[in-house]
Amino acid sequence: MTPFTPQSISDNLRRLPLFSGIPPQELVPLLPGVREFKVRAHELLFQKGDTLRGIHMLVSGQVKLFMTTPQGTEKLFTMVKPGHAFGEAVVFLDRPCPVSAEATQDSTFLIVAKDALLTMMDRNPAFARQMLASLSMRLHELMSDMETCTLMNSLQRVVSYLSHQLPESEDPACEIRLDTSKQMLASRLNLAPETFSRALHHLAEGGVIEVSGRTIRVLDTQRLKTFQA
Amino acid sequence: MTPFTPQSISDNLRRLPLFSGIPPQELVPLLPGVREFKVRAHELLFQKGDTLRGIHMLVSGQVKLFMTTPQGTEKLFTMVKPGHAFGEAVVFLDRPCPVSAEATQDSTFLIVAKDALLTMMDRNPAFARQMLASLSMRLHELMSDMETCTLMNSLQRVVSYLSHQLPESEDPACEIRLDTSKQMLASRLNLAPETFSRALHHLAEGGVIEVSGRTIRVLDTQRLKTFQA
DNA sequence: GGATTTTCTTGATTTCGGTCAAGGTTTTTA
DNA sequence: TAAAAACCTTGACCGAAATCAAGAAAATCC
């Protein structure tokens, strides 16, 4: 994990949704508290139990947040996409981190130091609101995941996941490109890889989707959403 | 659900953890945006899908947050205790509420209007931090629940729940008073009531606890935490 | 305080999804 | 581009927990 020259930092910061609403000159006092890092795929950013220096913002690449079970297997929580923050909740609570983070692709990310962040919030109420909104969003996503994992059976979970990946368009057919391996997706949906595979097979047999590698062609979005047994 | 005269509101507000760090005079501008309500047990405060006017703060009583499954059964998310807020995330996102709320006892709660809250945050950075911390806390609890529900089997879930209910003291033995019916607890732990009952029975047979109604006597906290099979 | 309803327990049975095993495919690496 | 590794699929089997059923205990209501 290698820190970087501060040159590009300002640019990267400005492009992140969390900071995009803030006038550039107001970001200046934040800069001394920001570090840029580059990591290779499979590098660990931090581990469950670590204390984080600040919030992390993914600029490019992909990072997975996961827990390790007592039996040594991994349970995936989230795939972080570029532009998104992670580790916010930890920073505001001064608690050890509940998850581990590992790059799944070569990635660039920023760490915004806790102090810098707090001063920024004090000076800039709009930014504080933005932080709140971001955390709230996270909370909603988690609720939704909780709902999926506890209220639905395996097939419904897969259908639910696919439905959420559909683009906004009204098109009855479209293509979804899975952004991770199927075993990771399975873990995220709290399924054994075998079960995930069988669910996709089942949907394909039902004529709702076509699977080829990581590309899933949805033939009828309406039927997908209401698919039973 | 009956709104109340503004007399007691100020007192109640001051007693809540979220506002306790704020000097009383700074709470004054907030007051016009606060309403007090009283509800009877079994009354519904709001439903999944509703838009909330502001954050809710429970002053006294007990409120459950739950979802209704497609099959018509209820899945309990949280039991809100006096002093705690709910509905924060919804307010900061302007989204329909993902859960329903129902009083399980006669209760008093406050609604702090969104606008009042935002102005308060703008004027008072310390309060903004407090909100952030509160939301972060919620996020951590949810993560922890997620962990319990997805990584543990039925017995471990019950053990985990009981362990979290233990008082801080070093006493090897102590008593836990369940704050809801066992079927609700089962729902919260994502178990069938029968399975929950059997888990308690199992622990009792193992000599770790004694159950009598809603009172659970833990005989050896250390053994409880490490209880297997 | 007895009747009625709700909640809890216990046993028998079923089922969904996990595990194990083996073969096929794709990707990585040298 | 061949070899190795990782990933995915499919079938057979198993097991944890849900469901079904029925009775016991507790709470609620006239």
Side-chain angles (χ1 to χ4, degrees):
Chain A
M1 189 157 95
T2 54
F4 225 60
T5 53
Q7 190 43 49
S8 60
I9 292 184
S10 174
D11 297 343
N12 281 334
L13 204 59
R14 208 167 308 154
R15 271 192 282 271
L16 297 169
L18 193 58
F19 299 99
S20 61
I22 316 293
Q25 70 272 18
E26 294 191 29
L27 288 180
V28 175
L30 197 63
L31 291 177
V34 186
R35 289 273 126 75
E36 187 171 292
F37 296 87
K38 301 228 176 232
V39 288
R40 294 325 220 41
H42 308 299
E43 263 191 85
L44 207 60
L45 310 203
F46 54 77
Q47 263 184 305
K48 177 168 177 166
D50 284 358
T51 306
L52 304 189
R53 284 164 290 174
I55 64 168
H56 292 56
M57 313 261 349
L58 188 62
V59 174
S60 68
Q62 196 184 51
V63 167
K64 68 171 174 188
L65 304 183
F66 65 99
M67 298 178 79
T68 310
T69 68
Q71 302 91 47
T73 60
E74 276 183 15
K75 154 72 183 154
L76 179 67
F77 268 87
T78 332
M79 294 296 319
V80 183
K81 301 260 178 73
H84 286 127
F86 52 109
E88 310 104 308
V90 179
V91 167
F92 294 114
L93 279 180
D94 270 318
R95 284 227 192 162
C97 195
V99 293
S100 304
E102 185 186 303
T104 53
Q105 302 172 5
D106 295 357
S107 302
T108 304
F109 66 97
L110 307 175
I111 296 184
V112 185
K114 180 184 170 165
D115 295 347
L117 210 67
L118 289 178
T119 3
M120 178 81 178
M121 281 175 38
D122 288 355
R123 286 195 210 150
N124 198 323
F127 177 66
R129 287 192 191 188
Q130 190 70 50
M131 278 302 322
L132 242 349
S134 165
L135 263 187
S136 301
M137 194 61 188
R138 190 65 45 83
L139 206 59
H140 269 238
E141 286 165 4
L142 242 181
M143 291 284 287
S144 168
D145 282 356
M146 191 82 178
E147 189 179 356
T148 316
C149 279
T150 61
L151 265 38
M152 296 178 174
N153 65 24
S154 61
L155 183 63
Q156 292 171 325
R157 296 222 277 280
V158 175
V159 166
S160 163
Y161 178 80
L162 293 177
S163 300
H164 281 294
Q165 303 302 309
L166 294 174
E168 297 292 300
S169 81
E170 294 296 311
D171 253 335
C174 65
E175 248 180 39
I176 297 172
R177 178 84 195 156
L178 305 180
D179 56 6
T180 48
S181 67
K182 289 180 186 171
Q183 49 185 349
M184 277 203 197
L185 271 182
S187 163
R188 179 155 188 286
L189 296 172
N190 217 32
L191 297 173
E194 293 92 333
T195 308
F196 182 69
S197 179
R198 283 188 255 262
L200 284 184
H201 184 85
H202 194 101
L203 287 171
E205 260 189 346
V208 196
I209 62 171
E210 283 167 11
V211 183
S212 101
R214 283 195 186 175
T215 304
I216 292 179
R217 173 139 199 87
V218 180
L219 303 172
D220 186 340
T221 55
Q222 227 33 51
R223 262 187 73 213
L224 173 67
K225 287 177 195 167
T226 59
F227 193 85
Q228 299 299 341
Chain B
M1 190 158 93
T2 54
F4 225 61
T5 52
Q7 192 42 50
S8 59
I9 291 185
S10 175
D11 297 343
N12 282 333
L13 204 59
R14 208 166 309 154
R15 271 192 282 271
L16 297 169
L18 192 60
F19 298 98
S20 60
I22 314 294
Q25 71 271 17
E26 294 191 29
L27 288 179
V28 175
L30 198 63
L31 290 177
V34 186
R35 290 273 127 75
E36 186 171 293
F37 297 87
K38 302 225 176 237
V39 288
R40 293 324 220 43
H42 308 297
E43 261 190 86
L44 207 59
L45 310 202
F46 54 79
Q47 263 184 305
K48 177 168 176 164
D50 284 359
T51 306
L52 304 189
R53 284 162 291 172
I55 65 167
H56 292 58
M57 314 262 346
L58 189 61
V59 174
S60 68
Q62 195 184 50
V63 167
K64 69 172 174 187
L65 304 183
F66 65 98
M67 297 177 80
T68 309
T69 67
Q71 302 91 46
T73 61
E74 275 183 16
K75 153 74 183 154
L76 180 65
F77 268 87
T78 333
M79 295 295 320
V80 182
K81 301 260 180 72
H84 287 127
F86 52 110
E88 309 104 309
V90 179
V91 167
F92 294 114
L93 279 180
D94 269 318
R95 283 226 194 166
C97 195
V99 294
S100 304
E102 185 185 303
T104 53
Q105 301 172 5
D106 294 358
S107 302
T108 305
F109 66 97
L110 308 174
I111 297 184
V112 185
K114 180 185 170 166
D115 295 347
L117 210 67
L118 290 178
T119 358
M120 178 82 178
M121 281 175 38
D122 288 356
R123 286 195 209 152
N124 197 324
F127 177 66
R129 288 192 191 188
Q130 190 70 50
M131 278 301 322
L132 241 349
S134 165
L135 262 187
S136 300
M137 194 61 188
R138 190 64 47 81
L139 206 58
H140 270 238
E141 287 165 3
L142 241 181
M143 290 285 287
S144 169
D145 281 356
M146 191 81 177
E147 190 179 355
T148 315
C149 280
T150 60
L151 265 40
M152 296 177 174
N153 65 25
S154 62
L155 184 63
Q156 293 171 324
R157 296 220 277 281
V158 175
V159 166
S160 162
Y161 178 81
L162 292 177
S163 301
H164 281 296
Q165 302 302 309
L166 294 174
E168 298 292 300
S169 82
E170 294 296 311
D171 253 335
C174 65
E175 249 181 39
I176 297 172
R177 178 85 194 153
L178 304 181
D179 57 5
T180 48
S181 67
K182 290 180 185 169
Q183 47 186 352
M184 276 204 197
L185 271 182
S187 163
R188 175 148 195 285
L189 296 172
N190 218 31
L191 298 173
E194 293 93 332
T195 308
F196 182 70
S197 179
R198 283 187 255 263
L200 284 183
H201 184 84
H202 193 101
L203 288 170
E205 259 188 347
V208 196
I209 63 171
E210 282 168 11
V211 182
S212 104
R214 283 194 187 176
T215 304
I216 292 179
R217 172 139 200 88
V218 180
L219 303 173
D220 185 341
T221 55
Q222 226 35 50
R223 263 186 73 215
L224 172 67
K225 287 177 196 167
T226 59
F227 193 85
Q228 297 300 344

